[in-house]
Amino acid sequence: MTGSDPLRLAILISGRGSNMAAIARACAEGRINAHVGLVISERPGVAGLDTARALGIETRTVAWPGAAERLQFERELDAALAAAQPDVIILAGFMRILSQQFVAARAGRILNIHPSLLPKYRGLHTHRRVLEAGDRVHGASVHFVTAELDGGPLILQSRVAVRPGDSEDTLTARVHATEYIIYPRAIGWLADGRLAWRDDRPWLDGKPLTAPVVEDFP
Ligand code: GRF
């Protein structure tokens, strides 16, 4: 811990919010020098909102009105975020694509986690697609968000062996468990100033980060 002010986080969710909870617990337990000031869901009534409230976190719902109204949605999101003044916005199971303008205005200040070893398997149903392809390894990726879907610079990946007999459920559960470790870890690097965004790219420990740090899990 650095003794500096905690990194202020706002977390955007769409559903269960288990990554959000893992990050909030890492903050509350002092494992990372960060604080979750606000959780916003784009879907009303999801379990993640209850979890956030139970953790004592302020919540808001900014309901997704449909793709045609995305700019209106982002204006409301912006207003909701303005009160919390986050240093960093954390996408955690947030199922909407943010506009180029929204993302560009916050370059280096939005993180996402995606359940695959990006650049493989952008988009949905990653675990099923990995099994169908017969891949031997799978995992999850923490990355900075750019306007390109699941395409921003990679920070940290968990690598998980696909086991013979794995089903979509068992593989999903194993990858998910690693997300709860790597997402708080990457946020902790930001909070400690080890990870930074300069000259339109990520830096780790004073060097340009040209490839993600990869951590192996059983
Ligand atoms: C996670 O698998 C994450 O990688 C993906 O969406 C899922 C969210 O799960 N982006 P949860 O809402 O955090 O439980």
Side-chain angles (χ1 to χ4, degrees):
M1 220 62 3
T2 58
S4 57
D5 288 343
L7 191 74
R8 291 190 307 268
L9 310 177
I11 305 186
L12 272 52
I13 63 168
S14 298
R16 185 167 67 141
S18 64
N19 276 283
M20 173 278 297
I23 294 163
R25 289 199 181 96
C27 295
E29 291 166 11
R31 285 184 275 125
I32 59 176
N33 188 23
H35 173 76
V36 184
L38 180 64
V39 168
I40 301 176
S41 173
E42 54 87 17
R43 286 183 198 161
V46 295
L49 287 169
D50 294 334
T51 305
R53 281 191 285 265
L55 290 165
I57 302 167
E58 187 184 330
T59 63
R60 292 282 302 269
T61 299
V62 179
W64 175 252
E69 264 79 49
R70 186 164 68 176
L71 289 183
Q72 171 62 24
F73 170 76
E74 290 184 349
R75 272 196 290 274
E76 286 176 29
L77 196 55
D78 203 30
L81 288 167
Q85 292 283 311
D87 299 309
V88 179
I89 296 170
I90 303 295
L91 308 186
F94 181 71
M95 299 302 285
R96 303 297 170 191
I97 298 171
L98 296 164
S99 71
Q100 164 133 35
Q101 296 92 306
F102 189 95
V103 171
R106 297 163 180 81
R109 299 200 299 115
I110 311 180
L111 260 55
N112 184 42
I113 190 159
H114 181 77
S116 79
L117 291 172
L118 289 172
K120 293 185 86 173
Y121 304 109
R122 295 178 184 188
L124 298 174
H125 309 302
T126 56
H127 311 293
R128 187 186 315 164
R129 288 156 64 202
V130 162
L131 288 171
E132 282 167 2
D135 289 6
R136 308 291 299 276
V137 290
H138 184 31
S141 305
V142 179
H143 65 95
F144 283 105
V145 172
T146 61
E148 192 187 349
L149 180 64
D150 300 330
L154 296 166
I155 301 165
L156 176 59
Q157 291 183 319
S158 58
R159 193 162 50 196
V160 171
V162 179
R163 296 180 190 158
D166 254 335
S167 66
E168 193 176 342
D169 284 350
T170 59
L171 188 56
T172 301
R174 262 201 339 284
V175 172
H176 243 123
T178 70
E179 295 181 17
Y180 308 149
I181 297 168
I182 63 168
Y183 214 178
R185 180 161 301 156
I187 294 166
W189 290 349
L190 262 183
D192 291 345
R194 291 184 56 192
L195 177 66
W197 182 266
R198 279 204 313 273
D199 306 328
D200 289 325
R201 58 177 167 160
W203 296 67
L204 184 66
D205 296 331
K207 298 189 199 95
L209 184 63
T210 50
V213 176
V214 179
E215 201 171 323
D216 282 309
F217 291 84

